Amino acid sequence: MIKVAIATFLAILTSYFLPFSPLPKPTYHSLFLSTSLTQNSSIAHHLFTLTRRPHIAGSEANSDAAAYVLSTLTSSNFHSRIVSYQAALTYPASRTLTLTPPPPDPPFTFELRQEIYPGDPYADVADEVVPTFHAYAKSGSVSGPVVYVNYGREDDYKTLDEMGVDVSGAVVLARYGQIYRGDIAKNAGSKGAIGALVYTDRKDYGGGGDDGGEWFPDGKWMPPSGVQVGTVYSGIGDPTTPGWPSTEGCERLNNEEVEESGEVPLIPSLPISAADGERILRTIGGQVAKEDWQGSKDGPIYRVGPGPGIVNLSYFGKQFIATIKNIIGVIEGAEEPDRFVILGNHRDAWTFGAVDPNSGTAALLEVAQRFSKLQKRGWKPRRTIILCNWDAEEYGLIGSTEWAEENREMLASRAVAYLNVDSAVCGPGFHASATPQLDELLKRATQQVLDPDNSSQTIYESWFGSSNSEEIGRLGGGGSDFAAFVQHIGIPSAIMSYGTGYPVYHSMYDDYIWMQKFGDPGFHRHVAVASVWGLIALWLADDKFLPFNYLSYAEELQKYAKDLEVEISGKDINLTPLLKSIEELEIAATKIKHQIKAIKENEGWRSVWQKDHLKVREVNDRLMMAERAFTDRDGLSGRSWYKHLVSFFKTPDREAFYGLRTFKA
């Protein structure tokens, strides 16, 4: 009887101090992965609905897509709302491109239009696609001989110098493939060029490589008229409000001040198609370009010029202040409502955006609906979960950056982690990048989700078990919407996707049909990404101790320190303070690991009296704030917005991750 009384007393006491939960948290986490909660048809429907019309930032169609996201989150039991900003966006006002070839051929004016194909189900809304352009490109009209500059890298200009080719006063023709389009235009301007044309070479994007391949809709490759549009702004956030939120009536830089910032090119530029690029290449004389500068086997011989072909390039953009709409959905935490686990994806697209970004938006809505089903079964997260659907990412990560700038102090004190998915699916193969303390979570999650392309193994087994397996990557400076969270505030972050590149990137052909036929037939990869994404969020939201591993961080820093030692060998540079700091981090990470173990071993009825819940809070706060310690309030020299000091966060940005790769069939 005494034992029963004690047990009853402890049960009452525990229920008084701890919120009631019908099922243990791990049971809900397992249920999240259950096939009873997942529906391929549902995620496909989300994508179909989001991509029915082109929805560039600032457009009516994008507002309609925002309403759909808001409605879905609200119906999924998220407290949801629109958070708007007034951002400076640009659209094309006029653009012309004329080629004057050597006599006797007459001048030729390009149509600068992506073509619909027979039976195109989106032909009725094709006119809603904004004409091909570079956002924030310099307005102006220029005329000059053409010089072919390969990918427009610094090394390519060194090669031209060695060949005795000067681009001063010329219009350069560069192909996409290795560097950011904004850097193509900036590099050209710094070398004296007066304009830049950037085309999608068939060898890289159009099935013209060694393996060949048909173009869309018969194959996955970019059609000859396809154009990769995008921004040439190299900054982060609204260019007119660097460092502060773009709220209504706020102070703004003028156009001259934006140009003086060095974040936009100072010469006109225009994206063009493979067909238009090859037409210009046929009018260029001079020396034959190197073998690795050449295009597809059935293409023309590439020469570097200058001329004799002359182009007249005219581009004029219109800049206006547009209302952009972030959608924010919240499930409040039951025990730690002031600790935030944040999931984010952007919504705006240059055209239809089936891959970029709405495969990620569809996955976000799938996660939301699964969380809703868990709530109906009694689940409540320990910590608050926030789902964010950003706007105007394509222009320069604007929606997420303005929100982070406006809420910087709150996020710095309360955010546990930020989990980003941009283009969730563009092909086979799982890939992820993260701050190092999240590495183990990514591995654990992928060990519990089956590979959508081979159900006999997990994602982890296919990810790390193949002969060409990749390590978890690190987060680039401005790769996607994680930038403000990592680089500006210092919040542990990750990004994940299936596939790392696709040929129709940022073109009119990135539509639902391409996804259905080539990106993810059956939508199994979408479901897999949602499973990994949501499972990591559940662990971060529900685990008593934040599942961060800072020993991984110390190991990563040690590896980079060794590389640095080799790089500076023979120079009078002392790395002893750096090495000592990394050693101290490792000691601290080991110590907190032991503290967590001790608290867990002490769990039981004594913990109520010993206030171990306060110790848990203190340990978690240290784990949460550790990433902030890698930031400096004054920021990097000459780049004060970037606060993060750890240098290994400079892997390829989103352009390289999704759109600047050379593809093989």
Side-chain angles (χ1 to χ4, degrees):
M1 292 294 292
I2 294 176
K3 290 182 179 180
V4 172
I6 292 174
T8 302
F9 170 75
L10 291 175
I12 294 171
L13 189 63
T14 301
S15 66
Y16 179 80
F17 283 97
L18 299 175
F20 173 72
S21 179
L23 294 172
K25 295 291 189 183
T27 303
Y28 289 115
H29 301 171
S30 298
L31 185 59
F32 179 81
L33 300 180
S34 169
T35 55
S36 65
L37 264 66
T38 63
Q39 288 185 319
N40 297 32
S41 59
S42 175
I43 208 166
H45 173 74
H46 290 318
L47 186 65
F48 178 81
T49 303
L50 290 162
T51 60
R52 184 62 189 90
R53 295 167 62 194
H55 49 286
I56 193 171
S59 67
E60 178 185 349
N62 199 36
S63 292
D64 291 343
Y68 178 78
V69 172
L70 178 66
S71 173
T72 304
L73 291 181
T74 301
S75 65
S76 299
N77 206 31
F78 279 78
H79 299 290
S80 305
R81 64 192 181 101
I82 296 174
V83 179
S84 297
Y85 295 96
Q86 307 300 312
L89 306 181
T90 68
Y91 286 171
S94 67
R95 11 154 250 146
T96 58
L97 182 65
T98 302
L99 171 67
T100 303
D105 295 329
F108 178 83
T109 300
F110 294 95
E111 292 186 5
L112 303 177
R113 182 181 179 86
Q114 300 182 84
E115 298 175 358
I116 61 173
Y117 55 88
D120 186 347
Y122 297 102
D124 61 325
V125 291
D127 287 343
E128 295 182 27
V129 174
V130 174
T132 53
F133 78 116
H134 283 154
Y136 304 113
K138 175 77 171 178
S139 292
S141 295
V142 296
S143 178
V146 185
V147 176
Y148 171 57
V149 297
N150 197 26
Y151 294 111
R153 302 165 296 188
E154 288 287 348
D155 286 347
D156 294 325
Y157 284 101
K158 290 179 183 178
T159 298
L160 289 172
D161 287 341
E162 293 168 359
M163 298 173 70
V165 177
D166 185 5
V167 302
S168 296
V171 176
V172 303
L173 177 67
R175 55 179 176 174
Y176 283 114
Q178 297 296 324
I179 64 173
Y180 173 54
R181 72 181 71 80
D183 289 336
I184 294 175
K186 282 177 122 178
N187 290 347
S190 69
K191 303 299 179 182
I194 58 174
L197 300 171
V198 188
Y199 79 103
T200 47
D201 196 295
R202 283 195 296 135
K203 182 179 180 180
D204 296 336
Y205 294 89
D210 295 337
D211 299 320
E214 296 181 298
W215 61 68
F216 186 70
D218 299 315
K220 69 177 183 179
W221 299 98
M222 179 82 92
S225 72
V227 178
Q228 183 192 125
V229 302
T231 185
V232 290
Y233 170 53
S234 58
I236 291 177
D238 186 334
T240 67
T241 62
W244 65 91
S246 293
T247 53
E248 189 169 0
C250 71
E251 182 179 353
R252 295 181 183 275
L253 304 184
N254 58 37
N255 290 341
E256 291 74 20
E257 290 170 319
V258 171
E259 289 188 355
E260 289 172 1
S261 72
E263 304 286 12
V264 294
L266 301 180
I267 61 172
S269 67
L270 197 66
I272 61 175
S273 68
D276 292 347
E278 286 193 5
R279 187 173 194 116
I280 294 172
L281 280 162
R282 287 188 173 92
T283 71
I284 299 177
Q287 302 173 63
V288 175
K290 293 168 38 176
E291 184 177 351
D292 60 355
W293 287 36
Q294 296 295 325
S296 57
K297 292 180 179 179
D298 61 343
I301 295 175
Y302 291 8
R303 298 176 181 272
V304 296
I310 303 290
V311 296
N312 291 274
L313 163 63
S314 176
Y315 171 78
F316 288 90
K318 55 181 179 181
Q319 180 169 303
F320 61 102
I321 303 300
T323 299
I324 63 170
K325 299 177 180 180
N326 294 335
I327 310 300
I328 309 295
V330 179
I331 301 177
E332 188 171 343
E335 298 171 57
E336 297 182 70
D338 60 339
R339 293 293 178 261
F340 304 155
V341 176
I342 307 171
L343 287 72
N345 153 268
H346 77 96
R347 177 187 67 257
D348 65 297
W350 290 117
T351 59
F352 296 97
V355 172
D356 182 14
N358 298 128
S359 60
T361 314
L364 183 75
L365 298 180
E366 165 72 9
V367 169
Q369 290 179 323
R370 288 200 222 175
F371 284 170
S372 176
K373 293 173 184 177
L374 291 183
Q375 286 180 285
K376 291 177 181 178
R377 288 164 171 79
W379 167 76
K380 294 181 180 179
R382 179 187 181 98
R383 303 178 184 93
T384 295
I385 295 176
I386 303 176
L387 301 191
C388 305
N389 185 231
W390 310 117
D391 201 353
E393 187 272 357
E394 295 291 4
Y395 276 82
L397 317 180
I398 294 178
S400 59
T401 300
E402 302 311 312
W403 189 77
E405 289 175 344
E406 184 174 37
N407 298 286
R408 187 182 190 281
E409 298 306 320
M410 179 187 67
L411 292 170
S413 62
R414 298 185 178 188
V416 169
Y418 176 74
L419 306 176
N420 194 72
V421 169
D422 192 315
S423 300
V425 180
C426 61
F430 184 82
H431 299 267
S433 296
T435 48
Q437 73 275 66
L438 297 178
D439 287 359
E440 293 304 315
L441 281 183
L442 282 163
K443 293 176 182 177
R444 279 177 54 201
T446 54
Q447 286 169 348
Q448 296 193 28
V449 179
L450 291 178
D451 180 352
D453 298 313
N454 183 357
S455 60
S456 67
Q457 61 184 8
T458 64
I459 293 176
Y460 178 85
E461 289 169 329
S462 62
W463 184 16
F464 285 94
S466 62
S467 58
N468 61 344
S469 62
E470 298 182 15
E471 295 181 355
I472 295 172
R474 299 298 165 222
L475 300 176
S480 189
D481 287 305
F482 59 77
F485 296 90
V486 175
Q487 304 295 350
H488 193 59
I489 303 177
I491 297 171
S493 300
I495 183 171
M496 62 203 80
S497 72
Y498 247 88
T500 58
Y502 64 109
V504 297
Y505 178 69
H506 281 193
S507 76
M508 191 176 79
Y509 309 104
D510 179 9
D511 62 20
Y512 183 85
I513 302 303
W514 189 94
M515 177 64 75
Q516 188 180 49
K517 293 178 70 172
F518 307 110
D520 189 15
F523 292 86
H524 301 291
R525 294 167 184 160
H526 281 76
V527 171
V529 171
S531 295
V532 174
W533 196 8
L535 186 58
I536 294 173
L538 285 172
W539 289 335
L540 289 166
D542 284 342
D543 284 9
K544 184 173 183 179
F545 292 97
L546 292 177
F548 291 157
N549 181 2
Y550 277 93
L551 286 173
S552 294
Y553 218 122
E555 291 171 3
E556 187 84 358
L557 291 173
Q558 287 168 349
K559 181 175 68 175
Y560 281 88
K562 289 179 180 178
D563 292 342
L564 182 59
E565 280 185 302
V566 174
E567 187 175 335
I568 66 171
S569 178
K571 299 179 181 179
D572 187 21
I573 300 176
N574 184 7
L575 292 183
T576 301
L578 173 63
L579 298 173
K580 184 178 179 181
S581 296
I582 296 172
E583 182 181 350
E584 290 174 351
L585 173 63
E586 184 177 20
I587 293 171
T590 302
K591 183 178 179 180
I592 202 167
K593 185 177 181 180
H594 290 158
Q595 288 178 331
I596 292 171
K597 182 180 179 182
I599 295 173
K600 286 181 177 179
E601 290 174 348
N602 197 42
E603 284 180 340
W605 69 272
R606 293 187 190 88
S607 65
V608 175
W609 305 109
Q610 295 173 353
K611 299 182 179 180
D612 275 359
H613 62 286
L614 296 179
K615 293 182 180 179
V616 171
R617 176 77 168 193
E618 186 267 338
V619 166
N620 282 337
D621 282 354
R622 287 162 58 195
L623 289 166
M624 182 181 73
M625 299 303 291
E627 188 75 43
R628 302 317 182 254
F630 293 113
T631 65
D632 181 89
R633 181 169 288 274
D634 293 332
L636 304 182
S637 177
R639 306 175 74 195
S640 60
W641 187 90
Y642 292 85
K643 312 294 185 185
H644 209 291
L645 303 178
V646 179
S647 63
F648 61 68
F649 294 110
K650 53 180 183 181
T651 51
D653 64 13
R654 189 172 70 98
E655 301 295 343
F657 201 63
Y658 295 117
L660 293 182
R661 303 209 178 223
T662 299
F663 303 98
K664 299 298 180 183

